[in-house]
Amino acid sequence: MAASSVSQVHMSTSFEGFARQAVVCIIAMVCLSFALALTNVAQAQGSKIGFVNTERVLRDSAPAKSAQTKIESEFKKREEEIQRLGTNLRTSAQKFEKDAPVLSESDRNKRQRELANIDADLQRKRRELQEDFNRRRNEEFATIIERANAAIKRIAEKDNYDIILQDAVTVNPRIDITDKVIQALGTK
């Protein structure tokens, strides 16, 4: 009887997962259909459409590369400190393993607690570094995105674009203006 209820619960949760995936797929298809319809309507009316790959702008533009270098240098000292602590922890753990057979039980327990405390401190520092790094990167990227949006608006006005899309599922390379945006960011 208990096995039957467990299998029903498993089937129920797997069905819910399937249902969620189906809903996500349907939403994606509706969005894609809408985007294609919008593109067809705009082209039928003689509208000019462009596309910008934001990921490429944040990876390949001069300000993005500069920001990445700047952030890495800001966090280099902390990263080296964490590497040093990790090396010290490994060395201490190896020494403990070697010494453990000859240590008294109380000394062994004490050193295990010390190693556990060092490991917890190291994990906390790694987490804090990652959070600080992400926060700092997001600050820099927000500035780059503002500049990119201004460049996109200038390009749209100069080249008479009716609509410029960002981050689409698929794009015809003929409407991709990412290189123009990257170039505009590099000249300013």
Side-chain angles (χ1 to χ4, degrees):
M1 189 84 162
S4 173
S5 64
V6 169
S7 66
Q8 288 175 345
V9 169
H10 177 65
M11 287 175 46
S12 173
T13 56
S14 65
F15 177 74
E16 290 171 359
F18 175 75
R20 279 192 207 107
Q21 288 178 341
V23 168
V24 169
C25 287
I26 291 170
I27 291 171
M29 290 188 327
V30 168
C31 290
L32 182 60
S33 298
F34 178 72
L36 290 173
L38 178 65
T39 303
N40 289 338
V41 168
Q43 288 175 346
Q45 296 173 348
S47 298
K48 192 170 181 182
I49 297 175
F51 166 77
V52 176
N53 183 331
T54 307
E55 182 182 325
R56 253 188 71 214
V57 170
L58 292 175
R59 183 186 66 229
D60 297 343
S61 68
K65 289 177 181 179
S66 172
Q68 185 67 25
T69 302
K70 179 180 172 185
I71 293 168
E72 286 173 1
S73 68
E74 287 177 20
F75 286 90
K76 183 176 179 149
K77 195 174 192 180
R78 283 176 64 188
E79 179 64 34
E80 289 171 351
E81 173 68 14
I82 288 174
Q83 292 295 328
R84 187 185 60 73
L85 289 173
T87 301
N88 289 347
L89 176 62
R90 280 190 295 282
T91 303
S92 297
Q94 289 170 349
K95 185 174 181 341
F96 170 72
E97 287 177 17
K98 185 179 122 196
D99 296 344
V102 295
L103 292 174
S104 68
E105 175 126 7
S106 65
D107 286 342
R108 196 171 32 248
N109 289 338
K110 179 183 173 191
R111 291 205 22 209
Q112 280 179 329
R113 278 193 305 276
E114 289 171 356
L115 287 172
N117 289 339
I118 292 169
D119 184 49
D121 187 47
L122 178 61
Q123 297 303 323
R124 180 184 52 79
K125 287 182 179 188
R126 281 184 179 150
R127 188 175 48 255
E128 289 172 354
L129 174 68
Q130 189 63 49
E131 290 170 359
D132 292 346
F133 181 86
N134 288 341
R135 186 179 323 74
R136 185 72 180 93
R137 186 185 64 205
N138 290 340
E139 289 170 1
E140 288 292 327
F141 281 0
T143 303
I144 295 167
I145 288 172
E146 284 179 31
R147 289 181 57 199
N149 285 339
I152 291 167
K153 286 179 184 175
R154 286 192 305 274
I155 292 168
E157 290 170 2
K158 181 180 136 228
D159 295 344
N160 296 317
Y161 281 94
D162 295 307
I163 186 169
I164 296 180
L165 305 171
Q166 291 179 311
D167 302 325
V169 174
T170 183
V171 174
N172 187 327
R174 123 184 110 69
I175 66 168
D176 190 344
I177 63 167
T178 305
D179 290 332
K180 285 183 180 181
V181 174
I182 290 172
Q183 184 179 18
L185 287 173
T187 60
K188 195 161 189 181

